[in-house]
Amino acid sequence: EDAHIAIPSLGLAVGSGSARGWRDTSVFGVFDGHGGEQVAHFVARHLPAAIAQGPAEDPTAALVAGFHRMDELLFDPSNREELQSLSTSMVSPIFGSGR
């Protein structure tokens, strides 16, 4: 019922121009499906890009905005078929030596 992410370089994994500032940031996360794996896998798929859309110079704000974006996506009716339960997550960014 869990999903996880282990991303050595968020900027390279997301691959968009806006994620360039995230190249030296690794992200590791575990997502608990609470009785079902659908939401955990959904969050594992979408959260990295949502975090990378935030400001690399303010990772706290980027994480908060990323999780708010997950809430928006989870409540979007077009995603309901993919989802059947709730998820609790723990994510930890690890920064390169330049920070």
Side-chain angles (χ1 to χ4, degrees):
E1 295 179 3
D2 295 344
H4 70 278
I5 54 175
I7 302 172
S9 170
L10 182 60
L12 292 176
V14 173
S16 72
S18 64
R20 229 177 276 158
W22 292 101
R23 268 190 196 187
D24 291 333
T25 303
S26 300
V27 178
F28 302 90
V30 177
F31 311 101
D32 185 348
H34 284 276
E37 62 186 63
Q38 294 81 5
V39 170
H41 288 286
F42 182 90
V43 172
R45 244 189 337 270
H46 296 286
L47 184 60
I51 293 170
Q53 289 176 356
E57 61 279 357
D58 189 354
T60 300
L63 284 167
V64 170
F67 279 105
H68 284 172
R69 180 67 181 137
M70 292 304 95
D71 286 342
E72 292 168 3
L73 291 174
L74 291 170
F75 284 108
D76 184 338
S78 67
N79 296 318
R80 283 199 183 140
E81 288 183 27
E82 189 177 347
L83 306 168
Q84 294 179 356
S85 63
L86 298 176
S87 174
T88 299
S89 305
M90 196 292 290
V91 174
S92 176
I94 299 176
F95 305 104
S97 60
R99 288 206 179 203

